Amino acid sequence: MQVIYKIDKIFIFIFSFIILIIGLVGAISFRNFLFFLFMAMVEFFYLFFSLKRYFRRLKAIKAEFPEAWRTILSIHSSLYRNLCEPNKTRFEKDIQIILSDYSIEGIKGRRINIETKILVASSVATMLNGRPYWEPPILDGIVIYPGHSFNRHFQPGKGNYAGLASYRGPMILTEGALEESTKHPNDGFNVVIHELAHYFDMEDGKAEGIPSARLSFKKISKWKKMISKEWQRAFQQRSFLRDYAGTNEAEFFAVVTESFFEKPWEVKQKNPELYDTLKDFFNLDTAHIIKETR
Ligand SMILES: [Zn+2]
């Protein structure tokens, strides 16, 4: 993740320049200096709102990364533990940016402790570590429900949803599923990675197991073939992935992404082509990085 992206800088510069030119041309044409002052005020508000996020992120990464957070990450994240120093520093900066810029809240004003927030942010940072120019596809923050489940009417303690990637809505997670995800970092179950994989998939408006919005046209067809082969096996319960992967292609992508980050050596051994496709997409050789935890 970046504090400010090059494309944003270009847009801000162009719009600021246009506002300034309008102010100057208007003041000369109308022979009215007040018009220039008015446009200068417009410029000020434009820059204030455009750069607000930039300054917020800058402040977050300038702060010292607490040692207690490092301890939490070292215990619960196999990837963080095994990253080289520059990538570890980037991981920490991503955590600071996520915590400053994305809302992670409980329902009905329930307080979420900082450890839980760090663990959520850690899974997001895990998926982005190989792609420093990516933003997570989180549109409306993350909401944490108490207990282990909720139902389709979003009633906590009922139904069997452990998490949900609501289309264009917030990512919903249960405390129980989060606890399970972080207790065993190498069992192939991580509710945050699972739901975020759904958001990557849905960025193009379709849940079909292919994160098309971040793939070139050529790569999309390769994905289709690759996903379809292993998904057929999962559908017939012959895959190395857990049975839930056979539900449909979207769940397949979410489940295999969890395994790619939690037990990548298994994905690499059972289906090297699938592993390489995910490695290429996330730009991270997870089997190489976290092999020590095998
Ligand atoms: Zn799912």
Side-chain angles (χ1 to χ4, degrees), residues 70-228:
R70 279 197 184 108
T71 309
I72 295 170
L73 293 175
S74 299
I75 294 169
H76 297 286
S77 169
S78 311
L79 185 81
Y80 173 80
R81 215 167 33 231
N82 291 290
L83 282 173
C84 62
E85 222 37 63
N87 290 357
K88 201 175 247 187
T89 305
R90 211 177 55 246
F91 194 102
E92 291 176 356
K93 285 197 188 327
D94 283 352
I95 296 270
Q96 288 171 308
I97 292 176
I98 293 161
L99 292 180
S100 78
D101 228 15
Y102 289 90
S103 125
I104 305 172
E105 300 299 336
I107 47 163
K108 293 177 186 166
R110 262 176 71 94
R111 268 197 83 236
I112 300 298
N113 64 45
I114 189 67
E115 182 172 349
T116 304
K117 288 186 180 187
I118 291 164
L119 293 174
V120 172
S122 154
S123 295
V124 179
T126 294
M127 292 176 84
L128 298 176
N129 196 258
R131 297 283 183 191
Y133 292 95
W134 277 8
E135 276 292 303
I138 300 170
L139 301 171
D140 196 16
I142 297 168
V143 177
I144 299 174
Y145 277 39
H148 289 262
S149 63
F150 59 93
N151 64 12
R152 62 196 177 95
H153 302 296
F154 304 101
Q155 292 170 301
K158 296 183 177 176
N160 58 358
Y161 288 96
L164 184 77
S166 53
Y167 185 63
R168 294 191 188 282
M171 178 194 290
I172 303 173
L173 308 166
T174 61
E175 274 174 351
L178 265 174
E179 209 182 297
E180 276 301 307
S181 304
T182 48
K183 204 157 56 179
H184 309 289
N186 298 109
D187 63 352
F189 174 73
N190 183 311
V191 68
V192 185
I193 291 178
H194 182 102
E195 303 308 337
L196 196 55
H198 281 315
Y199 281 105
F200 272 105
D201 181 11
M202 293 191 295
E203 271 187 304
D204 63 342
K206 289 175 277 179
E208 54 183 356
I210 303 169
S212 313
R214 300 190 192 219
L215 287 170
S216 65
F217 187 71
K218 211 171 125 191
K219 283 186 179 170
I220 292 173
S221 54
K222 194 183 158 203
W223 267 72
K224 274 185 186 155
K225 273 188 229 152
M226 183 276 304
I227 288 268
S228 150

